[in-house]
Amino acid sequence: MSTSRRSFLGKLWTSLGIVALLQLMAGAAAFLRSGSREEFVPKKQPVHAGPINDFPPGSVTLIPAAHCYLSRLDNGGFLAISRKCTHLGCAVPWNAERRQFECPCHRSVFDRSGNVLKSPAPRALDLFPVRFEQQTVVIDVNQTIRRAAFEQAQLAFPEQYRS
Ligand code: FES
């Protein structure tokens, strides 16, 4: 085997080794990312969260099937608040003691209407549309409502609370 051919094969194997190493590192990075964040793939079917009366005013309830929290404000209005942080997308847990959403990734804080209390989150948590069918709360997970901040018009009211 000539020296130039041996040299060529050596470079080829080195290049292939580098490509394989990069693929391995990319796979490991993807695996680590998937372990630290939740998947936010909305279901196609609307989610029936439960009877209206199961959610008293002032309550915040995790609805796992919809990847959101159902927050019922004191005036009886409902918000289906996405768990996905508006900063970089981490899942945001509800802190029942402090009555606020607290992102574990970079410490953004949101109130129970999803409004930003502490950055770096740039805007309020997204919403899903809420409607009522035969006294049951139904969440449409096919549609995400992006918003800058909470407004009263975002609330969904059951029939008996409408004025
Ligand atoms: S992802 Fe929530 S604060 Fe950064």
Side-chain angles (χ1 to χ4, degrees), residues 12-34:
L12 180 66
W13 282 114
T14 303
S15 300
L16 288 174
I18 289 171
V19 168
L21 185 64
L22 288 174
Q23 284 185 330
L24 188 68
M25 288 168 61
F31 174 78
L32 289 174
R33 269 197 313 272
S34 71

Side-chain angles (χ1 to χ4, degrees), residues 37 85-90 92 103-108 110 119-121:
R37 292 185 181 177
C85 183
T86 53
H87 180 224
L88 293 177
C90 289
V92 182
C103 184
C105 292
H106 311 98
R107 308 280 173 224
S108 284
F110 307 84
S119 55

Side-chain angles (χ1 to χ4, degrees), residues 19-105:
V19 168
L21 185 64
L22 288 174
Q23 284 185 330
L24 188 68
M25 288 168 61
F31 174 78
L32 289 174
R33 269 197 313 272
S34 71
S36 61
R37 292 185 181 177
E38 279 190 30
E39 291 297 318
F40 290 95
V41 181
K43 302 217 183 308
K44 294 296 176 195
Q45 293 298 315
V47 172
H48 289 68
I52 292 169
N53 292 336
D54 282 2
F55 308 99
S59 65
V60 174
T61 310
L62 176 64
I63 310 295
H67 301 282
C68 75
Y69 290 92
L70 203 51
S71 179
R72 191 169 188 191
L73 301 191
D74 296 336
N75 63 5
F78 282 86
L79 294 169
I81 300 176
S82 170
R83 299 183 67 190
K84 188 175 181 179
C85 183
T86 53
H87 180 224
L88 293 177
C90 289
V92 182
W94 169 248
N95 184 321
E97 198 175 300
R98 287 196 282 269
R99 301 204 49 78
Q100 58 190 21
F101 298 100
E102 298 174 347
C103 184
C105 292

